[in-house]
Amino acid sequence: MLLVVSCAAPPKPPAPKLTLVSARFSDLPGWNSDNSAAALAAFVKSCAEFDHRPDTAAVGPTTLGMTAAAWRKPCAAARATPGTDPAARAFFMTQFTPYLAGNNQDTDGL
């Protein structure tokens, strides 16, 4: 019987890094059946937080470079959108681009 053992340490995994890949809304599981009106209501509620921030205030991870000013138009559009699922879906499709988030391109477990 031959036994080969290596003393080399396994390679270290790369440091965590947010990676984003453009996707389509149709790629989102449940996109056409989820309660989009509830998502719109939650989004409008979060807009109240942006209302109190100066335009230059950072929002989200600094690597994305988002500011409160970037949220003014989508928040105004959300407030003007009827609270129905079709209208909410249309709002999200008009105002946002979906991305598949990953850690170094690995989306498993996210």
Side-chain angles (χ1 to χ4, degrees):
M1 175 193 257
L2 178 64
L3 179 63
V4 178
V5 178
S6 172
C7 295
K12 288 186 177 180
K17 178 183 176 188
L18 173 64
T19 53
L20 301 172
V21 177
S22 185
R24 297 180 309 250
F25 281 94
S26 60
D27 295 334
L28 304 176
W31 174 247
N32 288 315
S33 59
D34 280 348
N35 187 342
S36 298
L40 177 65
F43 180 77
V44 168
K45 187 174 180 179
S46 68
C47 286
E49 176 61 30
F50 302 135
D51 292 341
H52 302 291
R53 294 184 184 197
D55 283 350
T56 57
V59 175
T62 56
T63 56
L64 296 180
M66 297 291 295
T67 63
W71 292 98
R72 306 268 186 248
K73 287 177 79 175
C75 286
R79 290 180 176 118
T81 300
T84 65
D85 285 332
R89 272 191 289 281
F91 161 78
F92 287 116
M93 291 176 77
T94 302
Q95 297 294 322
F96 296 97
T97 301
Y99 286 88
L100 183 60
N103 179 6
N104 292 298
Q105 302 292 339
D106 182 6
T107 59
D108 287 345
L110 297 180

